[in-house]
Amino acid sequence: MILSPSLLSANFGKLDEECQALEQAGVPWLHLDVIDGLFAPNITFGTPVIASLRKTSRLFFDVHLMIQNPSRYVEDFARAGADMLVVHAEAETHLQRCLARIRELGCLAGVALNPSTDCSFLRWIVHDVDMVLLMSVNPGFSGQKFLPVVEDKIREVRSLLDAHGGSTIPIQVDGGVCPENIGQLVRCGADVFVSGSAFFRFPPYDQRLAAFAAAADQGPLRAAAMTCSHWKPRQA
């Protein structure tokens, strides 16, 4: 299980300190939600914030681009310090080209699907993606309730990936994830979990991480998907 806390729920008055606290707590990833106000009804932050945090943080930067036509900006975000760039299938006309470009830039490439987006297209890009992100809320704001229908979607995506040579591709779930449901999500086939308010509102972070991990152990973890060295945080 990998937990990727969403920066949107952190204290924006001391982001450097928040990142340091996450590292000290043993959290390996940081989820950075970039929203442009067009693809989703919110405006968050862009490359300057990511570049600033990159200077001092060794966390794995899991950058989720909730923006229209993300291919226009992937070079900027790669340059800012992203380790992985996740783009929405709904926002990019030439998805395979965009994913290939992300890899060319030295980042891992992920594709995200909104709750109502059918997943059948994944079979055509299974060799171009390093992770599939399934939104379990409609994108835009933190604190929303998990949509139970996504449990079946996790199972369907897991079966589809396994059937088309993508058995080691992890599935990330984003939205409404908490200790109360993470065990069930693991059983459905998910590997990586984004949590915002359900994580940051319950310090200290090391104890909250332990609570998520203990709850996730209720399900059979798929260790094979997350053993590659490229998923590890940056070294000092």
Side-chain angles (χ1 to χ4, degrees), residues 46-80:
T47 53
V49 169
I50 295 173
S52 178
L53 294 175
R54 181 80 287 169
K55 292 177 182 179
T56 57
S57 177
R58 296 179 299 164
L59 294 167
F60 182 93
F61 278 12
D62 164 25
V63 180
H64 181 189
L65 298 180
M66 287 181 273
I67 62 178
Q68 292 285 13
N69 302 315
S71 58
R72 296 180 299 173
Y73 304 103
V74 292
E75 292 185 21
D76 295 330
F77 283 100
R79 191 179 306 114

Side-chain angles (χ1 to χ4, degrees), residues 56-126:
T56 57
S57 177
R58 296 179 299 164
L59 294 167
F60 182 93
F61 278 12
D62 164 25
V63 180
H64 181 189
L65 298 180
M66 287 181 273
I67 62 178
Q68 292 285 13
N69 302 315
S71 58
R72 296 180 299 173
Y73 304 103
V74 292
E75 292 185 21
D76 295 330
F77 283 100
R79 191 179 306 114
D83 292 299
M84 177 166 59
L85 289 170
V86 181
V87 299
H88 269 264
E90 305 89 356
E92 180 57 52
T93 302
H94 303 289
L95 183 58
Q96 190 280 333
R97 179 190 298 169
C98 182
L99 294 169
R101 180 57 180 151
I102 290 171
R103 283 179 165 182
E104 288 174 358
L105 293 167
C107 297
L108 297 175
V111 62
L113 288 73
N114 283 339
S116 61
T117 299
D118 185 79
C119 62
S120 60
F121 76 93
L122 288 172
R123 68 186 187 276
W124 305 115
I125 58 168
V126 69

Side-chain angles (χ1 to χ4, degrees), residues 7 15-24 30 53 57 59:
L7 188 70
L15 290 182
D16 277 334
E17 292 90 337
E18 290 278 60
C19 288
Q20 292 172 18
L22 292 174
E23 289 187 40
Q24 292 170 2
L30 179 65
L53 294 175
S57 177
L59 294 167

